[in-house]
Amino acid sequence: MSQHLSKTAAPSPAETEARIRLHCLPELGPKRFKKLLSAFDSASSALSAPASAWRTLGLPAACSDARRSSEVREQANTTLQWLEDPDNQLLMWDSDRYPALLAELSDAPPLLFIRGDASLLELPQLAMVGSRRASAPGLDTAHSFAKSLAAGGFVITSGLALGIDGAAHQGALDAQGKTVAVLGTGLQHMYPARHRRLAADIVTNGGALVSELPLNSPAHASNFPRRNRIISGLSLGVLVVEASPSSGSLITARLAAEQGREVYAIPGSIHHPGARGCHQLIRDGASLVESIEHILEALRGWQQISSSAECPAPARHPLLDLLFAAPQSTEVLVLSSGWPLSDVLAALTEFELEGRVSCEAGRWYAR
């Protein structure tokens, strides 16, 4: 989605408020949000357009009728006050700081609310997901893998749920690594309540909490499958540790495969119901993982890049810097760099001949 929108400077305060108000409207998802901005050029113009223009675009009456409600205005004001805290940030999909991998999704969130270090979203991430009712061995495995991967330089991304998610976040923290929690609620509604302390620890230790939902959004069953596309969309790959065939983790794995991400699964006993989801993924083509080396081998290069990120290094070509942040399509590279297409293609060809980049499934990877 974002690859079809040019990157812009930070919007004016009035436009920022208008986008937040749009985002608070009922029944207005990412695709309808984009349709409005494409039709009216700005959120401010969209809000002031007549209801008939909204109907012409096929938007439901619930959207246009709520535009001037006091509740929507109050939500926008609350969000603007929340943004006064330096730990809180708002990323918009046409911002040059919006994570490039996530921007490739057709339904990328138009707004991302972030508490903590937003720059982590551009670093190499590996998602770890699994059952909320995981076994003790499953929790130990998730913690151990997350700890090793975080120590190796990957940001561990998960959903803050009970079970495997929580063990993965904690494993990253115990390695003094970084972790990102993508919530299925607004950032002012920590869910589950048992993980409020974990959420606070994530921010305190340099991680980030992320949500596409308005700040005051409570827990609702329909929002958790939606947030799974963000978990996989931010990541280079998804590791499923333990899951039943009906687990939401399999939704994340399916989305990852559709997004062109790597999918990994840890096998278990044929007698353990929590292993059946992973076995199904392996039958469907996921990579079977028995040790951390299996993942590092599949994603070789990223570990070295991440672990040496703080070491002094010679200046790199600007395009390589973009690719070290995340794999990108040629079109996204053109938008991100501001270079003409011919210059980008010429540089990529030279890098490919030198063995410094490779192109797979339409995306360029730094090597």
Side-chain angles (χ1 to χ4, degrees):
M1 177 183 309
S2 281
Q3 59 262 46
H4 301 300
L5 297 172
S6 58
K7 300 294 185 181
T8 65
S12 67
E15 177 64 11
T16 296
E17 180 183 1
R19 291 193 185 192
I20 294 171
R21 285 175 58 190
L22 274 188
H23 190 65
C24 292
L25 297 179
E27 300 183 38
L28 188 71
K31 293 184 178 180
R32 286 173 173 168
F33 192 106
K34 179 194 174 186
K35 182 182 288 188
L36 282 171
L37 261 62
S38 298
F40 298 110
D41 294 328
S42 72
S44 300
S45 298
L47 284 173
S48 60
S52 58
W54 284 47
R55 289 196 298 270
T56 300
L57 293 173
L59 275 75
C63 286
S64 58
D65 292 348
R67 284 180 290 169
R68 295 169 180 83
S69 74
S70 58
E71 181 180 356
V72 168
R73 291 181 182 275
E74 288 173 7
Q75 288 183 37
N77 288 335
T78 297
T79 302
L80 292 172
Q81 292 173 9
W82 180 82
L83 288 171
E84 293 175 1
D85 186 328
D87 280 339
N88 300 333
Q89 299 180 58
L90 177 65
L91 292 186
M92 303 186 186
W93 64 12
D94 53 353
S95 164
D96 56 6
R97 297 177 59 229
Y98 194 91
L101 275 180
L102 188 63
E104 295 181 0
L105 307 191
S106 62
D107 57 352
L111 279 72
L112 280 179
F113 299 92
I114 301 163
R115 180 162 179 79
D117 187 356
S119 68
L120 294 183
L121 303 188
E122 281 284 11
L123 296 179
Q125 298 172 59
L126 187 79
M128 290 184 61
V129 296
S131 173
R132 286 175 170 80
R133 299 178 179 86
S135 66
L139 295 174
D140 289 344
T141 298
H143 182 276
S144 175
F145 268 71
K147 188 173 181 179
S148 296
L149 287 163
F154 287 100
V155 176
I156 302 301
T157 299
S158 196
L160 201 68
L162 299 175
I164 296 298
D165 289 19
H169 290 305
Q170 190 62 55
L173 293 176
D174 288 347
Q176 286 77 54
K178 304 302 181 187
T179 184
V180 169
V182 182
L183 277 61
T185 61
L187 292 187
Q188 290 184 332
H189 280 268
M190 284 297 125
Y191 180 86
R194 283 167 56 186
H195 277 173
R196 286 176 181 167
R197 175 64 182 272
L198 176 59
D201 288 346
I202 288 173
V203 174
T204 300
N205 289 280
L209 308 177
V210 178
S211 178
E212 68 173 326
L213 299 169
L215 295 177
N216 63 349
S217 300
H220 192 280
S222 64
N223 287 332
F224 292 95
R226 283 180 55 197
R227 66 91 187 268
N228 291 345
R229 81 189 193 287
I230 303 176
I231 293 174
S232 57
L234 286 168
S235 306
L236 297 168
V238 172
L239 172 63
V240 183
V241 178
E242 187 176 278
S244 68
S246 61
S247 171
S249 304
L250 269 63
I251 297 176
T252 311
R254 175 179 56 80
L255 291 169
E258 292 174 356
Q259 294 163 357
R261 311 302 197 252
E262 300 289 339
V263 179
Y264 309 98
I266 296 178
S269 167
I270 61 172
H271 305 294
H272 179 33
R276 291 174 186 166
C278 291
H279 292 170
Q280 180 63 53
L281 290 174
I282 293 167
R283 286 195 297 273
D284 292 342
S287 298
L288 187 154
V289 170
E290 295 175 310
S291 69
I292 199 74
E293 285 72 22
H294 291 157
I295 297 176
L296 298 181
E297 174 64 22
L299 297 177
R300 61 180 178 273
W302 288 105
Q303 179 196 24
Q304 296 172 350
I305 293 163
S306 303
S307 60
S308 63
E310 297 181 359
C311 299
R316 286 195 300 257
H317 192 283
L319 290 182
L320 289 178
D321 281 336
L322 291 171
L323 292 178
F324 279 140
Q328 300 187 35
S329 66
T330 303
E331 186 178 13
V332 171
L333 281 172
V334 170
L335 293 174
S336 300
S337 66
W339 288 23
L341 175 62
S342 58
D343 291 353
V344 170
L345 290 174
L348 290 173
T349 300
E350 180 180 343
F351 295 150
E352 189 171 30
L353 291 173
E354 294 173 353
R356 301 170 75 183
V357 302
S358 62
C359 187
E360 300 174 22
R363 290 189 296 155
W364 292 93
Y365 292 75
R367 300 180 63 183

